[in-house]
């Protein structure tokens, strides 16, 4: 989709600094409002997860509170520190609770301001990626325009696209309510930024940190390795040279550095907090059973096999055990998310698009899916828009289908959650509609996407350009 290059509209777009100020003020106002609202209303603005984070931080700070002493090998031998996992439902890295320690000694809303600041950092990273790595490499972005006006146009266009993230109600609502997704998004965008800057080692370290924070970014490792390999192999097939490069020195170094970062961080946390960290942060999610409030169609399979009488899985029939098995969802989910990373990393245009497709499929086919998971892939949309050639009508259709299928599900979920109606089957049907609708949206975006051309490729014909050379390098 190529925008209008008329200078008049560029002059009407505020500078990026003004956008940051507006975004910051908006978030501060919402955080202040959340404090007033929570003090005067039974229905709280603040997300329940934020209270969980705050309690976990308090448990770390005060080890003797309710006997919540960490159970790691180091703490039992050398020192005493609190256990955040003493707080029921805290299922995150302990580093998050450590970041929120100022909630106790500074201000209860410190964490919200931290998440809001990460929102602003994310908007800045999106702007930087657009101006440095996407818009300059997009052919025919501003044809027939002077160099000076082209730069003005690029800055205005980047500001406009960054605004779609910074002023997105889903984004600023989630962060000001106290969800920590903004921190993870910062790590992911930093990983992407370093990759596009050809700082491979920094990208690998950030990928390891991102996977430690929440396990799903590990899927990006496949596309990174695939792109590294494709840079150094001529042709587009799956020949022996390409397969050999998959385990070559460059790819192996990236894998070892990212994997090593993940393992070192995990080992440190295990040494301090022991098995509770390992289970709550990672193992719990492999067998999580949420049979009520999530968009995933798998919730109904879990509901049908959910045991309320205390029975064990061995008491269930084979088909019921198959339905409740995590592999029922994990196999198609990982096949799609890892497979698209490998294939698109080999043939496609760049990591922003590949990561978007990987994340979209991961969320769509995840065993559990809530609204905040959508942030994981909508984060990349501003980076894709300059290269998506679809009409405004189709954009509107995509937005209508994306939001409409969610609204359809939420209307039925309201009957279940608040009215107590037995609408499990109807909710499951709407979950299927949600999957079909969002899959259609993904298909439209993929069909309209065209690869960007790197700065050293402008003299080549599009059909012969090596579309990977701007992604990762030595």
């Amino acid at each position: 989709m190529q925008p209008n290059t008329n200078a008049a509209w560029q002059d009407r777009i505020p500078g990026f600094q003004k956008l940051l100020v507006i975004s910051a003020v908006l978030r501060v106002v919402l955080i202040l409002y959340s404090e007033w609202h929570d003090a005067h209303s039974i229905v709280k603005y603040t997300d329940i997860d934020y209270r969980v984070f705050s309690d976990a931080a308090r448990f770390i700070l005060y080890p003797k509170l309710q006997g919540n002493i960490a159970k790691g090998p180091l703490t039992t031998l050398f020192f005493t520190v609190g256990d955040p996992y003493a707080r029921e439902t805290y299922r995150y890295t302990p580093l998050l609770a450590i970041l929120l320690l100022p909630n106790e000694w500074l201000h209860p809303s410190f964490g919200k301001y931290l998440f809001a600041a990460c929102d602003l950092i994310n908007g800045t990273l999106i702007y930087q990626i657009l101006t440095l790595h996407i818009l300059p490499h997009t052919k025919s972005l501003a044809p027939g325009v002077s160099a000076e006006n082209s730069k003005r146009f690029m800055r205005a266009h980047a500001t406009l696209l960054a605004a779609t993230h910074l002023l997105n109600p889903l984004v600023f609502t989630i962060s000001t309510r106290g969800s920590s997704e903004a921190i993870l998004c910062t790590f992911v965008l930093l990983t992407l930024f370093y990759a596009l800057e050809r700082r491979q080692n920094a990208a690998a370290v950030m990928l390891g940190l991102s996977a430690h924070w929440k396990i799903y970014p590990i899927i990006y490792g496949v596309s990174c390795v695939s792109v590294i390999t494709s840079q150094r192999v001529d042709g587009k097939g799956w020949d022996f040279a390409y397969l050999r490069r998959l385990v070559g020195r460059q790819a192996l170094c990236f894998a070892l550095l990212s994997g090593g970062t993940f393992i070192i961080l995990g080992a440190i946390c295990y040494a301090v907090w022991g098995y509770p960290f390992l289970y709550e942060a990672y193992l719990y999610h492999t067998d999580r059973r949420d049979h009520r409030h999530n968009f995933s169609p798998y919730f109904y399979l879990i509901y049908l096999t959910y045991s309320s009488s205390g029975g064990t899985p061995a008491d269930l029939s084979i088909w019921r055990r198959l339905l409740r098995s995590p592999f029922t969802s994990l196999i198609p989910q990982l096949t799609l998310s890892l497979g698209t990373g490998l294939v698109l990393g080999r043939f496609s245009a760049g990591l922003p698009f590949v990561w978007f497709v990987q994340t979209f499929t991961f969320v769509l086919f995840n065993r559990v899916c809530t609204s905040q998971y959508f942030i994981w892939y909508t984060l990349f949309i501003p980076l894709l828009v300059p290269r998506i050639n679809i009409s405004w009508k189709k954009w509107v259709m995509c937005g209508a289908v994306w939001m409409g299928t969610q609204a359809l599900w939420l209307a039925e979920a309201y009957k279940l959650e608040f009215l107590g109606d037995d609408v499990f089957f109807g909710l499951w049907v709407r979950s299927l509609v949600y999957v079909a609708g969002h899959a259609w949206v993904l298909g439209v975006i993929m069909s309209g996407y065209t690869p960007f051309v790197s700065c050293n490729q402008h003299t080549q014909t599009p059909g012969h350009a090596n579309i990977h050379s701007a992604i990762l390098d030595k």
Side-chain angles (χ1 to χ4, degrees), residues 301-464:
L301 305 183
I302 298 172
Y303 168 72
L304 292 176
T305 59
Y306 193 81
S307 175
S308 59
S309 58
T312 63
D315 298 329
L316 300 173
S317 62
I318 294 178
W319 76 270
R320 285 181 177 268
R321 274 183 281 174
L322 181 63
L323 289 179
R324 69 185 275 134
S325 171
F327 292 104
T328 303
S329 60
L330 198 61
I331 291 175
Q333 179 190 32
L334 292 184
T335 300
L336 288 170
S337 57
L338 297 179
T340 53
L342 184 64
V343 174
L344 295 178
R346 175 67 170 126
F347 296 104
S348 190
L351 288 181
F353 174 66
V354 180
W355 287 13
F356 169 78
V357 175
Q358 283 188 278
T359 314
F360 201 120
T361 55
F362 185 91
V363 171
L364 188 60
F365 293 96
N366 198 31
R367 189 177 180 84
V368 176
C369 179
T370 59
S371 296
Q372 64 190 40
Y373 290 12
F374 300 147
I375 294 290
W376 298 353
Y377 62 80
T378 57
L379 180 70
F380 300 111
I381 290 180
L383 306 177
L384 306 183
V385 169
R387 301 307 304 160
I388 298 178
N389 294 306
I390 61 177
S391 66
W392 280 107
K393 291 182 180 179
K394 191 157 284 188
W395 271 116
V396 172
M397 286 181 62
C398 286
V401 171
W402 190 80
M403 292 185 290
T405 52
Q406 295 174 54
L408 185 68
W409 185 92
L410 289 169
E412 194 75 356
Y414 174 82
K415 299 177 184 178
L416 174 65
E417 298 293 334
F418 293 96
L419 303 181
D421 295 346
D422 184 6
V423 292
F424 281 98
F425 181 78
L427 193 59
W428 176 66
V429 171
R430 284 159 176 76
S431 293
L432 295 177
V433 174
Y434 149 79
V435 170
H438 281 218
W440 178 83
V441 171
L442 176 60
V444 171
I445 293 175
M446 292 181 68
S447 65
Y449 181 82
T450 55
F452 66 79
V453 183
S454 69
C455 56
N456 61 352
Q457 294 164 353
H458 284 299
T459 59
Q460 303 177 22
T461 59
H464 295 85

Side-chain angles (χ1 to χ4, degrees), residues 32-47 51 112 177:
L32 294 175
Y33 167 76
S34 72
E35 297 175 3
W36 177 88
H37 180 95
D38 290 350
H40 294 83
S41 176
I42 297 177
V43 180
K44 306 301 182 183
Y45 178 90
T46 301
D47 195 307
R51 302 178 193 176
K112 293 182 181 180
R177 292 188 66 213

Side-chain angles (χ1 to χ4, degrees), residues 136-210:
H137 305 153
T138 302
K139 279 194 171 183
S140 302
L141 187 64
V145 177
S146 66
E148 181 180 352
N149 285 336
S150 179
K151 290 181 180 179
R152 289 174 53 215
F153 166 78
M154 186 175 64
R155 288 194 295 267
H157 194 196
T159 299
L160 199 60
L161 290 171
T164 63
H165 177 81
L166 288 169
L167 302 181
N168 185 337
L170 181 65
V171 173
F172 63 68
T173 300
I174 284 179
S175 60
T176 57
R177 292 188 66 213
S179 174
S180 64
E181 298 301 326
I183 295 180
L184 177 63
C185 291
T186 300
F187 294 156
V188 169
L189 284 175
L190 279 172
T191 306
L192 179 61
F193 179 76
Y194 287 137
L196 296 173
E197 286 283 304
R198 306 182 184 185
R199 297 169 62 181
Q200 184 174 319
N201 291 341
V205 171
M206 287 307 306
L207 180 61
L209 175 59
S210 302

